[in-house]
Amino acid sequence: MSAVAPEAVPAVGGSSSHRRSPRELLLAVSQYLGFAPAMALFGLFFLAPMGLIVAYSFWTQDGYNVVSTWTLSNYQQIFSTPVYVSTFLTTLWMTAAATALTLAVALPFAYWLARYVSRRWQRPLLFLVILPFWVSYLLRVTSWTIILGSQGAISRLLSLVGLSTPSWLLYDRPAVIFVLIYLYFPFAALTLYASLERFDWSQLHAAMDLGATQSRAIRRIMLPQIKPGITTAVIFVFIPILGEYLTPELVGGTRGVMIGNLIDNFFQEAQYATGAAVALLIVVVVMVLLVIFRRSLEVGEMYGR
Amino acid sequence: MVTAEMASARPGAETPIPAIAFSGVRKEYGAHVAVERLDIEIQEGEFFCLLGPSGCGKTTTLNMIGGFAAATQGEIRIRGEIVNTTPPYKRKVNTVFQSYALFPHLTVSDNVGFGLKMAKVSRADAAGRVLEALKLVALDAFADRYPAQLSGGQQQRVAVARALVNRPAVLLLDEPLGSLDLKLRKRLQVELSQIQREVGTTFVFVTHDQGEAMAMADRIAVMNEGRVEQVGTAREIYSRPASRFVASFIGESNFIPIQGRDGQVVTAHAGIRLPAPGGAPAGNGTLMVRPEAVRLVPAGTDDPGLVGRVVKLSFLGSFTRASIACPEAEDPLIVDMSTELNAGIREDALVRLSWEDKAAVLFGEENH
Amino acid sequence: MVTAEMASARPGAETPIPAIAFSGVRKEYGAHVAVERLDIEIQEGEFFCLLGPSGCGKTTTLNMIGGFAAATQGEIRIRGEIVNTTPPYKRKVNTVFQSYALFPHLTVSDNVGFGLKMAKVSRADAAGRVLEALKLVALDAFADRYPAQLSGGQQQRVAVARALVNRPAVLLLDEPLGSLDLKLRKRLQVELSQIQREVGTTFVFVTHDQGEAMAMADRIAVMNEGRVEQVGTAREIYSRPASRFVASFIGESNFIPIQGRDGQVVTAHAGIRLPAPGGAPAGNGTLMVRPEAVRLVPAGTDDPGLVGRVVKLSFLGSFTRASIACPEAEDPLIVDMSTELNAGIREDALVRLSWEDKAAVLFGEENH
Amino acid sequence: MAGDPSTVEIVSPHTKLVRRSLAGWATFIYMFLFSPIVLLIVLSFNKNPFGTFPITGWTLHWFKQVANSPDLQTAIKTSLQVGFEVTVIATVVGTAAAFPLVRSRLPFRSGLRIVFILPIMIPGVLIGVSLLSFLRNALNVQLSAQTAVIAQAVYTTPYVLLIVAARLEGFDRRLEQAASDLGANKLRTFRYVILPLIGPAAFAGALFAFTLSLDEFVITYFVIGAQVTLPIYIYTQIKFGITPAINAVATLLIIGSLTITGLGLIIPRLLRSGVRQVRSYRVRRLQSTVQIASGP
Amino acid sequence: GSSSPSSGSATGPVTLNMLTWNDHYDPTKQLPAIQKETGIKVNVTLGSDDAAMFIKAKQSGDFDIVSADALWVPYDYQQALIEPFDIESFPVASQLYSVSKEFPFWKASGGYLGYPRAWSALRMYYNPKFVSPAPTSYEVWLDPKYKGKVVMENQPTDLVAQAGLATGSKDPYNMNDAELSRAKDFLTQAKPAFLTFVSQNTGVVRALANESAWLTSDNLGIDIRVKSAGGPLIKSAVPKEGVVGWMDSEMKVKGSHANRFEQFINAWGEAEWVPPLFKQYREAWFNEKAYKMLVNQGQGEFADALLYNQPEEAAKAHLKGPSKNPNAYIQVFNQVFGA
Ligand SMILES: Nc1ncnc2c1ncn2[C@@H]1O[C@H](COP(=O)(O)OP(=O)(O)OP(=O)(O)O)[C@@H](O)[C@H]1O
Ligand SMILES: Nc1ncnc2c1ncn2[C@@H]1O[C@H](COP(=O)(O)OP(=O)(O)OP(=O)(O)O)[C@@H](O)[C@H]1O
Ligand SMILES: [Mg+2]
Ligand SMILES: [Mg+2]
């Protein structure tokens, strides 16, 4: 928000011989001002409950109550049961597949919207993307079970052509991944669009002038420059899918179970301590992943700004 | 029919195929006509300059060669082949963009090496060529910086290096030296000319700097409002401008409204005889004479000939420029004098102006 | 202590407060020193030019006045007030940015009107002033376009109009005419000079075009590698350059290595006597002479004096430039001749070079 | 930086092909997005009380049921109200926080980013239950729609924050400098330059927030106390299956928002073109006066 | 609060917060009528499952009336959420089948714990077109013929309980480790049979109706629902190992200003409100008077299919309730059905 601030900071901090005037101090502080509301909101209403969640995972589950006596048994229980690890691994690859496919589906769409649609139509079209999502999740997914189901549109179409409905069309992993793509498409599309919208298309000119085909120009020049948007889209798709339980429940059948279902089973019976332990383990894994890939979260530094 | 075709085909086979040929090309942006009609041929190995005022369509013309703007009408040929729909990466043409269009996420050396990477040049080769190109533009010390960390002129030099390193068949340069200081510009002008001669590459060079155009180009096309007004060598254009626009755009010029009377040229206002080449126009017209062709001598009020008052003298380094108010011309006439020779001339003095007959150029009314 | 302070305060009160004053200013970007040490004062109402090669720190200097770069060391004063930490919008300074920095989401007229809107100028007033400013840069027909729909030069003109329309106390211009053609540039040079005189605004003008600097500026600061090498009027700098760098940067110049011998100046190589002003340096040095100050006469091989061979003649409009290879100088010497006077000189001919004593400038070793 | 993208051309024999196939892809996407919705709309007119195939006849019964159901109406109202408040809070808070996240020289910027991603990672039930016990036991706050707004804001703000932050990366700082140079203070620079330019991202973020709020069940369920939002209404019907009246609600919601946005698109455009006409008339008049003034 | 409010002690307008399921009331006619009659405005919050409702009611402290199933009622009492009341003193209670007022597990010192509403048991339903002979036991899930043809509601505890019944456990909601491990083995073998666990009852109806599943174990009346959804004939069977079942009730929350509880129940429990709800949800209520009204309205056939007039059947099932070790049940379920 401040034009001179980023410059002023190294200048102020860089030389100890230079005394900080109150103005400079104010300036240095003011750049963090934007955090204030978020800090208030998160500090009070997220971090505190978050601490409670962590505490839950170390407290004792007694019937339907969580009792505040410290224990490691929740974690021990998880580590002594191989099903959680194997389900988590399965979930990881399903999530990765769904995320990759979602982005693959959304990118050409966002590209089309940002590149070929005249500016005045972009927002209405974007709005149309999200509009179906104002209808309850449950209804939309149920609607898919009807479409994909044994007497649904697809199997009828197939039988018209004389094909039998493949058994994985519903109540299996492909169905879960398919519906997840549907559910998370708008998140990817909106995020990618927001990023592409400011892309300087003449960059593609320069790349193609230097001998890059359109696709190479897109890969080498456009994609790296919209990387923050891609990273964000991946976060918005990958992370919520990792915790999905409704879709696998509704369309996955017994073959499409994800880790979220196992966690949700605990919650259904109010087993919050155990549930919290599993959930936190996943959070830790994701955080480790994020820390590993944190460089890709920081694009500004790459550009030398 | 067949013979006619063959007859027309033959001369084509004999004269060399031009590197670039525009025939009847027009470009519109919505309702706005950026290029009205373009018919030019640029020969292989030529150093060709597009010169013209801001907004006249130079960049648009270059973009049509590079493949970044589709011609609305007409045909564009590169080495005889129609390229109206050929994508940029299939044209052996490289461009230095007016806005540089550097890749912000790549370092200077990666920017320069991009074309080589696309052409699958081996890493070691590429590194060598990149370094060479950066040396040429005196930026080898900046190889690892990002474009945002460079000054305006440095960015422009990166753009030049990025195009040059690919050794293209045709190199398009859109004001590539615009933000460089005179010294560096001169050096790069010389370097570019040398490279052009060595490699034999065809250069199409856009500039708004007539001095640059004259110093470097084999031929110059002077554009105005989407049309080419004159194509020719620097000398032709300077000494025999085809229109009043060309005359005024290239170099300084003085215009005096005249009439042809009895085969002689006289001023339109007071009917004073002026030195002029033969063939005075029948009706009204304009006489153009360059500032350096005019000689000044101190004069009295009633002297015959063209007399004016010096309103301003400005020292411009190698010469001094006098502005002379004269009732025969609308604008003050300007005269450049060798700094050493301006002894007698002072501001506010009366002077008589004269020039050799063949130094003047006459325009009829049709050349506005 | 008190008296010392008062004593230093008084002379300040008597001499006019400079519009802008740098004292001991230094700017580093990480490890890179962009401006090494700056001590200049720009007077109220002055037309001040910063001139220097690409990357020498001109934009950085301007940015420190505008408030877009914080000085690493030293003090910057605007009208006597230290502004090191004043935000840009509180400085009565407007800038024409080298990269234009037009707002892509606003039309041309909204871009130009932005400053007026911020200053809460009434709508009707603002519309009038915007139109006036657009007329000035010949863009009134483009008022409703977006920047992306303009040519490079047109964008630059919008940037000029956007700054001018605010009538600031100090106007900073970073190569504002760089991508304009000579004619328009000249026109805007004149217009800018007029505006500057009328409004009395202080102009700080960055350019790499020495001709422009000389034609417009009251004073010029020649910068090199983050330092100011000389400050002075155009004439001072051209005829009495303070260093070899200034001499070579401003205008064309010929350098001949010399030695002082018996109070006379002789070439370092063959000991030929050269015309030079009094006060030859004690040891080795360099003699500089401008191309237009040199006279050429055809010569034989064994003629006394400085003799060389014409390697190239180029026609440059109002004059012809000869490059002359001469064993006494490293680079070919260049000589500019009035086009009409170059009768006897042909390529490959031998010529003798001479000039008047006071036309030469001598540099000792310390000025490199 | 980029103007209207349609002015950026690349010559290619495939230009049309590429454009058409991308447009085809987009059409397919819209069909993909809307097919379940179309099905719901069809089913909302189906007599079949299970809200499923086969179609046993056409009826407006379900719409009547919506019209006659005060529960459902309150639920819709509460949902829209909560959604609106959440959108405002999340958009403002998220956008504000995006700036220091991208621009300050905080040492732990990437760490902070991860903190802001946490609410997306933690299962809603846990957030809901812990927030419930925190609000009641630690703060002793009365539960209401407002507590639900706060809880949802926590969960939706990260979306706005990250999407705006992604847009701010590589934002051309010179534009801000230019605005500042022209006398705009930080606030006005933000209002007139930054906001229009990050607008698309903030808009996308707001859409995210509203959409997520409109469908949030688990967290809300625990912290809203004795109120009912539409998702709560829907999810608690699971025991007996959702009545087709919900399909009717979906139909109304879709058609309603389509009409509102349609109007929202057309009306300002009409207004603007009116203003433009007036303005261009003014400019023309001005032009002629200036001409007269500057004439000989 | 006091346990026996004298009638007419409070009559002014008041708002009662009720946490319940949507089959317990009719928002369009019933609630406005109650408000008109008694001045009680009921603000309904819908609940999902017993456990979550217990947590929500207990933590938020906002509610006056809460609903719960079978053995959850005494649990809620133990956890001090609710308090007993004297059901016999409620005039409307005379409309109830008397068995429903004598369930021993709903008795406490000081009265009855809940006002009984409706009940059901989970029977085995099958499509005779594909399933023959008729199943007589949970063992049918092990039959490879029915691989992927069983649909169930997603109720992990209930499924594990049924597996417990199949393996001979006597108290299926309170199995010990050995019993649990037998149940787990049974489920592991039966796993291929299960097509999906649906989150809503209509999912079962849909799966049976379009014949993607042939078997389920679900509440009474699924056969009618499948039929009215246009599906095939569905028959029911009682597995020989026994069935699980539930009955639900409205409970009086302790310490809240629930002194208007009796007044509300008297208005709400009136038989006249049952038929419309019956037609919508197809459940057997405990209201005997309403049975007669249903028969008069030509609904007798449906009511009988739901065993409306055999309320004594309700207590014969293994009743749904909190387990002593719910965590172990989920562990079993997760281990069997995890990926
Ligand atoms: N953000 C930055 N980070 C690092 N170095 C920088 C940055 N900006 C400028 N520089 C360096 O500082 C030096 C001076 O830059 P400046 O922009 O002032 O040059 P300039 O005189 O305006 O040149 P030009 O005429 O090419 O625009 C250059 O060497 C440049 O590379
Ligand atoms: N995308 C566009 N949309 C509409 N008009 C455009 C577009 N690009 C260029 N023009 C217009 O076309 C004309 C020619 O533009 P062009 O860029 O070719 O000029 P130019 O000769 O390169 O000028 P300069 O020397 O200022 O760069 C200009 O009047 C310009 O405003
Ligand atoms: Mg151009
Ligand atoms: Mg610069």
Side-chain angles (χ1 to χ4, degrees), chain B residues 42-78:
Chain B
I42 300 170
Q43 300 309 322
E44 199 73 55
E46 195 174 17
F47 198 123
F48 194 89
C49 248
L50 290 170
L51 187 62
S54 168
C56 71
K58 305 181 296 291
T59 299
T60 306
T61 305
L62 227 52
N63 279 345
M64 289 192 285
I65 307 177
F68 311 121
T72 313
Q73 257 175 40
E75 279 173 0
I76 304 165
R77 284 189 179 78
I78 298 183

Side-chain angles (χ1 to χ4, degrees), chain E residues 27-40 267 272-273:
Chain E
T28 49
K29 295 212 180 77
Q30 185 186 23
L31 296 188
I34 291 175
Q35 187 174 5
K36 213 167 157 197
E37 183 189 327
T38 64
I40 298 173
E272 59 172 309
W273 301 116

Side-chain angles (χ1 to χ4, degrees), chain A residues 210-212 216 220, chain B residues 106 110-123 126 130 165-166:
Chain A
L210 293 169
R216 287 187 96 187
R220 300 229 174 221
Chain B
L106 299 181
D110 288 345
N111 259 286
V112 176
F114 187 85
L116 300 177
K117 198 161 168 184
M118 290 302 112
K120 306 219 166 82
V121 172
S122 84
R123 276 194 175 221
V130 167
V165 80
N166 303 297

Side-chain angles (χ1 to χ4, degrees), chain B residues 145 149 151-154, chain C residues 32 54-60 98 175:
Chain B
R145 294 241 200 140
Q149 298 172 313
S151 80
Q154 289 164 342
Chain C
H32 186 88
S54 167
C56 71
K58 305 182 294 292
T59 298
T60 306
Q98 187 171 12
E175 315 207 1

Side-chain angles (χ1 to χ4, degrees), chain A residues 135 139, chain D residues 44 62-63 66 72-73 76 230 233-234 244-255:
Chain A
V135 169
L139 292 186
Chain D
S44 71
W62 309 115
F63 290 91
V66 175
L72 202 47
Q73 283 164 21
I76 294 172
L230 196 58
Y233 186 89
I234 292 171
I246 294 298
N247 293 342
V249 173
T251 304
L252 291 174
L253 203 65
I254 288 284
I255 290 172

Side-chain angles (χ1 to χ4, degrees), chain C residues 229 241-249 253 255 286 331 363 367-368:
Chain C
E229 300 245 339
S243 69
R244 190 177 163 151
F245 170 80
V246 174
S248 68
F249 189 76
S253 41
F255 294 102
T286 308
D331 302 314
F363 301 118
N367 297 325
H368 38 155

Side-chain angles (χ1 to χ4, degrees), chain B residues 102-273:
Chain B
L102 298 181
F103 304 131
H105 62 298
L106 299 181
T107 60
V108 166
S109 63
D110 288 345
N111 259 286
V112 176
F114 187 85
L116 300 177
K117 198 161 168 184
M118 290 302 112
K120 306 219 166 82
V121 172
S122 84
R123 276 194 175 221
D125 270 18
R129 280 168 67 181
V130 167
L131 193 66
E132 215 174 282
L134 285 178
K135 282 226 169 102
L136 178 66
V137 296
L139 281 181
D140 39 330
F142 293 77
D144 291 330
R145 294 241 200 140
Y146 287 92
Q149 298 172 313
L150 297 180
S151 80
Q154 289 164 342
Q155 289 181 20
Q156 195 166 53
R157 284 183 272 161
V158 176
V160 172
R162 186 175 68 173
L164 272 182
V165 80
N166 303 297
R167 302 177 191 148
V170 179
L171 189 61
L172 311 176
L173 304 106
D174 200 351
E175 315 206 3
L177 311 177
S179 21
L180 302 184
D181 57 278
L182 191 63
K183 233 177 120 71
L184 192 57
R185 188 149 88 228
K186 285 272 158 71
R187 214 197 93 203
L188 282 175
Q189 282 176 11
V190 173
E191 301 267 14
L192 284 175
S193 300
Q194 263 172 13
I195 291 169
Q196 197 260 341
R197 249 157 247 147
E198 276 168 30
V199 196
T201 303
T202 312
F203 274 40
V204 185
F205 194 98
V206 166
T207 180
H208 54 258
D209 179 341
Q210 34 157 313
E212 192 164 279
M214 289 177 136
M216 300 174 82
D218 294 328
R219 283 196 305 152
I220 298 170
V222 182
M223 292 184 72
N224 186 28
E225 296 186 347
R227 265 170 302 104
V228 171
E229 299 246 339
Q230 187 173 5
V231 181
T233 63
R235 191 162 217 136
E236 277 165 23
I237 289 179
Y238 189 82
S239 48
R240 293 287 133 212
S243 68
R244 189 177 163 150
F245 170 80
V246 174
S248 68
F249 190 77
I250 310 277
E252 295 290 334
S253 42
N254 296 301
F255 295 103
I256 304 170
I258 51 140
Q259 282 181 333
R261 193 186 289 167
D262 313 330
Q264 300 229 321
V265 171
V266 299
T267 59
H269 180 67
I272 301 167
R273 227 206 111 221

